[in-house]
Amino acid sequence: GEDVEQSLFLSVREGDSSVINCTYTDSSSTYLYWYKQEPGAGLQLLTYIFSNMDMKQDQRLTVLLNKKDKHLSLRIADTQTGDSAIYFCAESIQSGGYNKLIFGAGTRLAVHP
Amino acid sequence: DTAVSQTPKYLVTQMGNDKSIKCEQNLGHDTMYWYKQDSKKFLKIMFSYNNKELIINETVPNRFSPKSPDKAHLNLHINSLELGDSAVYFCASSQVGGLAEQFFGPGTRLTVL
């Protein structure tokens, strides 16, 4: 089946680390993605990880992938108020020779002083 | 230099009316998509076109008819609008293959009264 699950809310204090978790179902996904949606805007690709990697670091962002458990996480170090947004996990699934993205429900991150 | 643009940004209409949403991308991508985001922020793919050809058609009522006059445009026409059609509709585009990062438009908020 096609299913991506995430927790819906996360609240952190400014300067702390945020960890957003995601589980997916399709073990053949080539890429797994994290998208960010700010209020009133479209989604923007934040980072991604190739399925043969365990970890990817990009400045304040660290993505961890556990293929055995089909678990993906996004860690944001030194979280700032500007990081407040909805974060969507997505997996790519083959459909008729093309890829389609299946999104989780999104995790709303609230950063407070 | 907007990459993916949609018009209109807001659309308020009565039940039973027919309306269209337009999307254009200037990224030279071959593939375009329509997504629906409901009030709980859940994002689901509706359609995808590659070079004007329909490649993904999820379980969407046939009141929804996408049209792609050329690979830079993908419009969405909705007949006999219902209350449940109220949502934010996002257009996106990507290249085929590889990372296939999807670039999203700003969204069209449709309200059916």
Side-chain angles (χ1 to χ4, degrees), chain A residues 83-100:
Chain A
D83 295 324
S84 294
I86 302 176
Y87 291 81
F88 290 90
C89 171
E91 62 171 343
S92 61
I93 288 184
Q94 281 282 320
S95 175
Y98 294 92
N99 284 332
K100 68 176 182 180

Side-chain angles (χ1 to χ4, degrees), chain A residues 20-34:
Chain A
I20 303 172
N21 294 301
C22 167
T23 56
Y24 61 96
T25 53
D26 193 322
S27 57
S28 65
S29 293
T30 308
Y31 289 95
L32 293 138
Y33 308 82
W34 283 104

